[in-house]
Amino acid sequence: MKLSKFKIGAKFAVTFALLIGMFLAIAGTAFMSLRTIEEADGWNVHTYNVLGHSDTLIASVVNQETGVRGYLVSGDENFLEPYIAGKADFQKALKTLLEITSDNPAQQARLQKVGQLENDWRTEIAEREIALMKNPATVEQAREIEASGAGKGLMDALRAAHAEFDTAESSLLVSRTATKDNASAFAEWAIVLGSLFIVAIASVLGFVLTRHVGSAVSSLTEVMRKLAAGDNSVDVPFEGRGDEIGEMAQSVLVFKNAAIEKDRMEREADENRNLTEKERAEREAAKAAEAATLNEAIEALAGGLQQLSEGNLTARIDKPFTESLDRLRVDFNESVEKLAETLSEVKVNIDTIHANAGEMRTAVESLSSRTEQQAAALEETSASLEEITSTVKSSSERAQEATTKAAEAKSASDSSTKVVSDAVEAMGRIENASGEIAKIIGVIDEIAFQTNLLALNAGVEAARAGEAGKGFAVVAQEVRELAQRSASAAKEIKDLIGKSTDEVESGVELVKATGEALTKIAEQVTDISDHIASIATAAREQSTGLQEVNAAVGQMDQVTQQNAAMVEETTAVTHRLASDADGLTALVGRFTMAGGKASASRPAAANDENDAPVKSPAKSMMSKVKRAFSGNAAVAEEWEDF
Amino acid sequence: MAEDQDTARERFIEIISFHLGDQVYCVDIMAVREIRGWVPCTSMPHSPPHVLGVINLRGLVIPVIDVAVRIGLPPANPSERSAIIVIDQGEKLVGLLVEAVSDMITIKGSDLQPVPDVLPESQRALAKAIVALEEQMICFLDPEPLVGATLEELAA
């Protein structure tokens, strides 16, 4: 059956989809019918509306005719009112009708015809009659027109056209009613028959699904119950199906197979239990014989091991064991032999270690003394370094001071240069003043010369005056002497000024030379200053280098301290090594060997040497170093630590 | 007494000494009109070498003689310190250019010594005597021949 290939969910989904689709078809049909009926109803209302307006139209025509006729009969113009009102109503109704029947060209044509006829009647009959009626002379003429029946003929044609319009509209109404009835009937049939069909299909599908799923589940449940009860012979149905039932059936089959396998295993276990009982008796007998041989071998081995534990390495087992156990004996013998060999080698090695320990002790002692020397050298180096450092520092300070002094000297020489130039200026001023003085002296000299001349003239006059001029001559002489004195004084002053001018000139030269010398000195001072600066730089660099050297010495110091510590440790280790070698000798001495008992006298002698309270060379070195560094507390502490 | 006085008067002579080169000369003060400072001379055409020219002495034009040239020395180099000794020759005045007027000395007649007889008369007439003082020897010039010849020459 193909149905079993699909999942249960799919089956249900298909069923319900089928039912829902049918329901939707029925509902759609009914809905369409209802829509048709509604549409027909809408059109009926429209038709009734058209018919109403059509009645109004014909009524208005009648009113016009009545109004005209009343006027013709009475001649009273009041009778014309219905005509006027009817004319307006007709136009209005016609217009409305034309609008609402615009979808029907046949009806439009009919309406046009009605409108045309009304217009003809009104223009040809009614208007003419009314015009004639207004003139009393032509009243009779108007009534004749009316009586001729021309108006009636037009009116009849109009009524016929109107009747045709009404009939056409009414026939539309009838056809629509028929359509409405048809639709109503179709909807009813569709609903009844569709519902019945759905019920039938639903019942059939429900039955099929229930059988297909429900009965399969219950039959599987039955199979499982039987399996649980222990009946493994049952057949599992539906295992070929592709749906969930098939999967369930396969799982049940797995359970069944597991139960069958379990039964088989239980049976095999029972069979195995029965086999062992028979063999046991045979084995007991063989074991007893084996135990006897084994005991013998164990006894021999125990004896050998006993001897071995007492340190006798000469112990051997000579009597052979049974074939299977004889290997034990041979192995024991070989082991003891090897042990003896090894121990004798160990003994030789211990002797070597003793000798080496002695050499190490010597080496450590010399190392200790060298370390001591190194520490002393380091101390000296440190002291020298300190001195050098202080020297360098003081030289650096001196260089600094010298720089300051050089700067001072430079400024002094600069100011001296100014003094020199001032001096040169002053000399120049002195020269000028001397010039002035010389001029004045020239004037004085001139005056003295003139005075001299005057005095001479006076003397001449006095001489010529003879005796009377004697006294005057004396005065003239005096004046002349004065003039000569002042002349000679002026001459002296002139000479002096000349000399002083020369002196001033040479002074100026000297001062200039001094200025040049001072400039040279300033230049040299600058050079000196540069040299001093480079000296200071060198001193700084030296200082840096010394710091590095100091650091290096510090590191060397540390290394030396570490070396000392290591020497101490090495000494201790050497001692331990010696004592360990002694211990080893004693241990080896407990064994008896083929070459006789191992000698224990040698280590004892060695011990005697070491037992003497010899002062450790490292310790003595350290105490010396400590003394050497006693100035430095920190160093002392560090050494204490060692 | 009078003779004594005269003798005494004779005995004291006042002279004006002046320099020409290194040599000191003098003239009798009584022959001197006045002494004045050097002023440039206006030279005269065709004048002899020892006549320097003429000067204006307070409105009076007088000739100036270079004494050095006149007595056979190299020509004097006139400077501000040079002087002109104006000699009174009776009616005429003559200026003598000298390098420097050094002194007005009063000497005794006994100090005058005759000029040695080594020169011709005309030449010897220029020096009247030699004044031998302790510190120096002064040639006592006679202004008359000095000037007279000049005047004659000028007149000629």
Side-chain angles (χ1 to χ4, degrees), chain A residues 94-417:
Chain A
L94 184 67
K95 195 178 170 222
T96 312
L97 279 172
L98 282 171
E99 275 173 13
I100 59 178
T101 60
S102 60
D103 58 325
N104 195 335
Q107 290 292 72
Q108 290 263 312
R110 283 176 196 127
L111 279 173
Q112 295 287 355
K113 195 182 171 190
V114 170
Q116 187 59 47
L117 286 169
E118 193 264 351
N119 196 37
D120 289 352
W121 174 79
R122 206 157 23 89
T123 50
E124 289 172 18
I125 309 295
E127 297 293 327
R128 266 176 70 193
E129 282 174 357
I130 290 163
L132 292 170
M133 272 305 288
K134 283 187 178 168
N135 191 348
T138 58
V139 168
E140 283 305 317
Q141 206 176 339
R143 283 174 185 161
E144 276 174 18
I145 291 170
E146 181 62 31
S148 72
K152 190 178 174 287
L154 279 170
M155 268 298 159
D156 287 345
L158 192 153
R159 282 198 191 90
H162 178 255
E164 197 183 340
F165 177 80
D166 268 9
T167 312
E169 200 67 41
S170 298
S171 74
L172 277 174
L173 205 62
V174 171
S175 76
R176 275 191 209 114
T177 311
T179 312
K180 208 171 98 179
D181 288 348
N182 279 346
S184 179
F186 179 72
E188 280 168 12
W189 277 107
I191 289 165
V192 171
L193 285 178
S195 302
L196 285 174
F197 185 66
I198 287 171
V199 167
I201 292 287
S203 307
V204 169
L205 287 173
F207 177 71
V208 168
L209 280 175
T210 313
R211 267 204 62 175
H212 183 68
V213 177
S215 68
V217 167
S218 54
S219 65
L220 265 179
T221 313
E222 182 60 25
V223 167
M224 280 192 269
R225 196 183 296 133
K226 280 184 183 166
L227 271 175
D231 184 0
N232 293 335
S233 62
V234 288
D235 284 333
V236 180
F238 312 125
E239 62 178 289
R241 272 172 67 160
D243 59 359
E244 285 88 341
I245 302 293
E247 287 171 13
M248 274 167 74
Q250 279 161 12
S251 303
V252 171
L253 193 63
V254 169
F255 283 138
K256 185 192 154 190
N257 289 341
I260 289 168
E261 181 69 13
K262 191 184 149 206
D263 275 358
R264 194 182 61 81
M265 282 172 78
E266 276 175 3
R267 268 201 303 282
E268 277 180 10
D270 282 347
E271 279 170 17
N272 285 341
R273 231 175 281 143
N274 293 333
L275 259 174
T276 51
E277 289 294 328
K278 287 181 210 169
E279 292 171 359
R280 196 174 293 162
E282 291 171 18
R283 283 182 196 162
E284 292 273 324
K287 266 185 188 169
E290 242 173 60
T293 354
L294 200 64
N295 239 4
E296 197 181 333
I298 287 166
E299 278 299 320
L301 270 177
L305 286 170
Q306 173 76 29
Q307 280 180 319
L308 197 60
S309 76
E310 283 162 4
N312 185 4
L313 290 179
T314 57
R316 299 284 186 279
I317 300 171
D318 297 327
K319 191 189 167 194
F321 296 164
T322 52
E323 201 172 316
S324 64
L325 291 172
D326 198 38
R327 222 180 122 210
L328 272 176
R329 181 188 68 91
V330 173
D331 285 354
F332 174 82
N333 284 349
E334 278 178 12
S335 299
V336 170
E337 206 158 315
K338 285 229 176 91
L339 189 60
E341 276 172 25
T342 309
L343 274 172
S344 64
E345 277 172 23
V346 166
K347 209 160 97 40
V348 172
N349 285 346
I350 287 166
D351 290 347
T352 318
I353 287 167
H354 256 296
N356 289 347
E359 281 174 20
M360 270 171 77
R361 209 168 52 228
T362 322
V364 166
E365 271 167 21
S366 69
L367 181 60
S368 161
S369 75
R370 279 202 293 276
T371 310
E372 193 181 347
Q373 283 169 10
Q374 198 177 4
L378 269 176
E379 194 192 358
E380 281 172 20
T381 310
S382 184
S384 305
L385 265 178
E386 218 153 279
E387 277 175 24
I388 292 167
T389 308
S390 71
T391 310
V392 166
K393 198 183 275 180
S394 77
S395 76
S396 176
E397 282 166 7
R398 292 282 185 285
Q400 193 66 36
E401 280 173 22
T403 310
T404 318
K405 288 279 191 296
E408 282 171 13
K410 195 167 181 297
S411 70
S413 83
D414 285 350
S415 58
S416 302
T417 311

Side-chain angles (χ1 to χ4, degrees), chain A residues 442 445-446 449-450 452-453 455-464 473 476-477 480 484, chain B residues 14 16 29-38 80-83 88 101-105:
Chain A
D445 193 34
E446 181 67 28
F449 175 70
Q450 297 294 341
N452 190 29
L453 281 185
L456 280 171
N457 282 326
V460 170
E461 289 299 329
R464 290 167 74 91
Q477 186 66 25
R480 222 171 58 79
Q484 273 173 354
Chain B
E14 280 186 300
I16 299 274
I29 201 162
M30 296 310 286
V32 175
R33 177 70 193 156
E34 68 170 279
I35 301 165
R36 54 167 304 148
W38 164 256
E80 283 180 0
R81 290 287 173 268
S82 303
D88 190 358
V101 178
S102 62
D103 214 345
M104 193 163 65
I105 311 166

Side-chain angles (χ1 to χ4, degrees), chain A residues 551-567:
Chain A
V553 167
Q555 279 176 1
M556 277 163 71
D557 189 39
Q558 266 187 344
V559 170
T560 310
Q561 287 171 14
Q562 283 166 0
N563 282 351
M566 207 164 279
V567 164

Side-chain angles (χ1 to χ4, degrees), chain A residues 621-632 635-636 639-640:
Chain A
M621 180 274 289
M622 266 163 18
S623 68
K624 277 180 191 169
V625 171
K626 196 170 159 186
R627 258 179 276 127
F629 282 86
S630 61
N632 193 333
V635 173
W639 285 97
E640 286 278 14

Side-chain angles (χ1 to χ4, degrees), chain A residues 61-112:
Chain A
V61 171
V62 171
N63 279 348
Q64 285 181 54
E65 198 180 21
T66 309
V68 170
R69 278 183 188 160
Y71 183 48
L72 286 175
V73 171
S74 64
D76 186 354
E77 287 202 7
N78 285 333
F79 281 93
L80 278 176
E81 272 177 22
Y83 167 75
I84 294 161
K87 194 167 71 175
D89 285 347
F90 180 85
Q91 292 299 331
K92 196 179 158 195
L94 184 67
K95 195 178 170 222
T96 312
L97 279 172
L98 282 171
E99 275 173 13
I100 59 178
T101 60
S102 60
D103 58 325
N104 195 335
Q107 290 292 72
Q108 290 263 312
R110 283 176 196 127
L111 279 173
Q112 295 287 355

